Amino acid sequence: MADTIRDESTDWSTPRAMGALATKMGMRFLEVSADRSVATLPVEGNTQPVGLMHGGAYVVLGETLGSVSATLHAGPGKIAVGVDINATHTRSATSGIVTGVCTSVHLGRSITVHEIVVTDDQGRRCSTIRITNMIKDAPAR
């Protein structure tokens, strides 16, 4: 991760940086940058009643990755807020972990777009997510 853009004041492995929902779901960041971020999520604990990975869990993984990447692109004094997200689920994981790989599609001054591909332990695509974030000035504290 030598070329990874990193906000030195943020440790992306902490619950505060990841957010309470991502922490509760067991998300783990492996790589973090504006152009590419990677995280995993366990299937266990994130399933529908019939034992399939919940579609909303895929979306939480995608939105978290896309928002973190957009925030890093935004830079100091700015925040990224989601304005659109969509997902297409093509396979259901039933065990193990899923991995989300987030790549930038567009990194602009006011808008970012990221695509997140979520795969199962066998590398099979389970979900494709696209998120658009708006870059805004951070609110005064």
Side-chain angles (χ1 to χ4, degrees):
M1 281 201 315
D3 62 346
T4 298
I5 299 166
R6 200 162 171 95
D7 176 1
E8 295 301 326
S9 67
T10 305
D11 178 354
W12 294 103
S13 65
T14 65
R16 181 174 184 272
M18 288 188 355
L21 180 58
T23 301
K24 279 185 183 180
M25 293 177 71
M27 193 176 302
R28 297 191 57 177
F29 283 101
L30 305 178
E31 181 179 334
V32 181
S33 77
D35 287 316
R36 177 182 154 88
S37 294
V38 180
T40 61
L41 193 63
V43 173
E44 185 176 341
N46 294 309
T47 58
Q48 301 173 339
V50 296
L52 304 175
M53 182 80 162
H54 196 289
Y58 291 128
V59 176
V60 169
L61 178 58
E63 183 159 4
T64 302
L65 281 167
S67 295
V68 165
S69 291
T71 297
L72 287 172
H73 170 69
K78 301 284 187 178
I79 60 169
V81 294
V83 295
D84 181 65
I85 191 164
N86 65 67
T88 302
H89 310 308
T90 51
R91 180 177 296 278
S92 297
T94 57
S95 64
I97 62 167
V98 295
T99 302
V101 177
C102 171
T103 54
S104 63
V105 174
H106 174 75
L107 297 174
R109 280 182 301 129
S110 58
I111 294 285
T112 65
V113 179
H114 287 86
E115 179 183 69
I116 300 89
V117 174
V118 181
T119 57
D120 65 12
D121 285 336
Q122 289 77 45
R124 300 175 295 190
R125 187 181 294 227
C126 297
S127 187
T128 305
I129 301 140
R130 190 190 77 205
I131 183 169
T132 303
N133 280 286
M134 181 186 332
I135 308 282
K136 298 177 61 167
D137 290 329
R141 291 193 177 221

